[in-house]
Amino acid sequence: MNHPIKFQPGYLSLFFLTVLFSCQQTVEKQKVAEAPAGKIAIVIHGGAGTIKRENMDSLLETAYRQQLNTALDTAYSILESGGASCDAIMAAITLMENSPLFNAGKGAVFTATGENELDASIMSGSDLNAGAVAGVKTVRNPILAAYQVMTNSPHVMLAREGAEQFAEEQGLQMVDPNYFKTDRREEQLTRIIKKEYGTVGAVAVDQQGNICAATSTGGMTNKKWGRIGDSPIIGAGTYANNKTCGFSGTGHGEYYIRAAAGHDVSALMEYKELSVHEATQAVMDKLSAMNAAGGMIALDNKGNVAMPFNTSGMYRGYKREGETAVVKIFADER
Ligand code: ASP
């Protein structure tokens, strides 16, 4: 007995082509339906901690505000001219890494043995691609090395000498380890001083609705034994997903790793449908319950920005389409 389909492969191909075409139509339709409002936005932080108005020298305060404004303006102009969110945040973070004010790049904190060991990571929310470097001592801008790991290697995280060798092969600027040393951070190692996490981070959404997030740090003062914190760990200190948000954390990194802070914010938005404000606050509350000090920045694909923290201050700021830039330091500026 003849089987009508078996002997007519033409029908079969037609059937599969029709199915394929209608699937593609559905994907296209979903893409359009999911398209964001199209507002570009950038949010940055320069670390949280015991940052009090009464202890802050006015010249230093001005320098911080200026540096945050410059980083915001630089990143925003990239987004405004149609640039990618990853390029915008790398520009902001590179500026902060080059500034001795922050615990990232030049001005990073000292390890127990008087060295500077730097960590950085970046994640692209459009394809969940990510890159990170940990414990590098000679890469001038660790964030650029993290980006190279994401885009030019089959890996997500490279550490120490291997990461340095890779960065050099990618043509990045290498420096003598002494380049990172500043008197201010050396003094912090020898004195018991106020707890301050000066890690830098940035999250942006571009005209295509793509979110990118990144974090760069020297880690924690007096760290020992090759300690790596949350900043280079995807899902802890950095996370991005176009469907939910981009995230960058600052604070006592061990707790951010244990709380899987960045991924937790994203998961609360994806599975519980919380807003970016509700999700970041929920994770901030979880960290506070663990006695963890710190803060976080996040934004969603509509440009909604959240910047919660549980310390007396956090260097922070954002700029959204059609609005002037906002820069804040102290908790009472909320
Ligand atoms: N989170 C960083 C770390 O634990 C420190 C910081 O935020 O400054 O390495």
Side-chain angles (χ1 to χ4, degrees):
M1 205 172 89
N2 277 354
H3 192 289
I5 292 181
K6 192 175 174 188
F7 293 105
Q8 300 200 31
Y11 284 124
L12 255 187
S13 335
L14 195 63
F15 171 72
F16 283 123
L17 271 175
T18 313
V19 170
L20 193 70
F21 183 66
S22 58
C23 284
Q24 273 178 341
Q25 289 276 74
T26 318
V27 170
E28 279 308 310
K29 273 186 202 142
Q30 277 175 357
K31 261 192 203 158
V32 174
E34 281 174 8
K39 289 225 168 195
I40 54 173
I42 164 95
V43 56
I44 60 174
H45 71 76
T50 316
I51 307 163
K52 291 191 175 153
R53 209 181 276 280
E54 56 270 28
N55 301 335
M56 176 74 81
D57 171 77
S58 74
L59 279 179
L60 195 59
E61 181 181 336
T62 307
Y64 271 113
R65 290 190 193 273
Q66 270 172 1
Q67 193 62 54
L68 291 168
N69 268 309
T70 307
L72 278 177
D73 287 347
T74 306
Y76 190 83
S77 60
I78 292 174
L79 295 171
E80 205 172 26
S81 58
S85 47
C86 286
D87 290 334
I89 61 171
M90 276 194 294
I93 291 191
T94 303
L95 276 170
M96 293 193 282
E97 283 180 341
N98 294 346
S99 160
L101 291 175
F102 305 99
N103 171 23
K106 186 167 186 66
V109 297
F110 279 59
T111 66
T113 54
E115 293 181 289
N116 307 104
E117 296 180 353
L118 313 165
D119 306 331
S121 68
I122 186 163
M123 184 167 189
S124 153
S126 59
D127 52 4
L128 306 185
N129 200 2
V133 292
V136 295
K137 299 178 194 175
T138 56
V139 184
R140 184 172 192 259
N141 291 107
I143 194 61
L144 301 182
Y147 181 76
Q148 290 300 324
V149 175
M150 175 169 86
T151 50
N152 280 331
S153 90
H155 306 300
V156 168
M157 187 190 281
L158 300 179
R160 303 180 80 86
E161 292 81 6
E164 290 168 350
Q165 188 189 325
F166 172 77
E168 193 163 12
E169 282 172 19
Q170 298 304 309
L172 295 186
Q173 193 177 346
M174 308 303 285
V175 289
D176 184 276
N178 285 323
Y179 161 80
F180 298 107
K181 296 194 187 328
T182 58
D183 293 345
R184 182 170 162 231
R185 298 297 185 193
E186 193 160 23
E187 207 187 318
Q188 286 184 355
L189 182 66
T190 49
R191 271 188 317 131
I192 301 293
I193 56 130
K194 58 192 165 81
K195 268 242 174 330
E196 200 174 305
Y197 307 98
T199 290
V200 306
V203 187
V205 58
D206 61 26
Q207 289 177 8
Q208 276 65 48
N210 289 326
I211 298 175
C212 199
T215 311
S216 179
T217 190
M220 300 237 291
T221 300
N222 201 27
K223 63 184 181 181
K224 300 183 181 72
W225 310 301
R227 180 263 187 191
I228 305 289
D230 60 313
S231 305
I233 297 182
I234 298 303
T238 303
Y239 199 71
N241 183 341
N242 279 6
K243 285 206 293 196
T244 55
C245 68
F247 169 100
S248 172
T250 172
H252 197 145
E254 277 68 11
Y255 294 98
Y256 283 67
I257 298 172
R258 289 165 56 196
H263 185 262
D264 214 24
V265 170
S266 174
L268 285 168
M269 293 178 70
E270 185 169 3
Y271 306 137
K272 253 187 146 182
E273 297 185 358
L274 297 194
S275 71
V276 70
H277 291 280
E278 292 165 339
T280 47
Q281 195 52 56
V283 175
M284 213 52 248
D285 292 346
K286 174 170 149 183
L287 287 163
S288 298
M290 295 166 86
N291 281 326
M296 57 184 65
I297 55 168
L299 63 68
D300 67 15
N301 60 15
K302 308 274 188 295
N304 295 309
V305 168
M307 312 187 291
F309 54 97
N310 63 9
T311 51
S312 53
M314 180 166 84
Y315 302 104
R316 61 201 189 276
Y318 64 88
K319 183 164 168 56
R320 298 195 297 193
E321 203 168 327
E323 297 175 22
T324 50
V326 172
V327 164
K328 296 178 181 181
I329 298 177
F330 308 108
D332 62 13
E333 287 180 88
R334 260 188 249 240

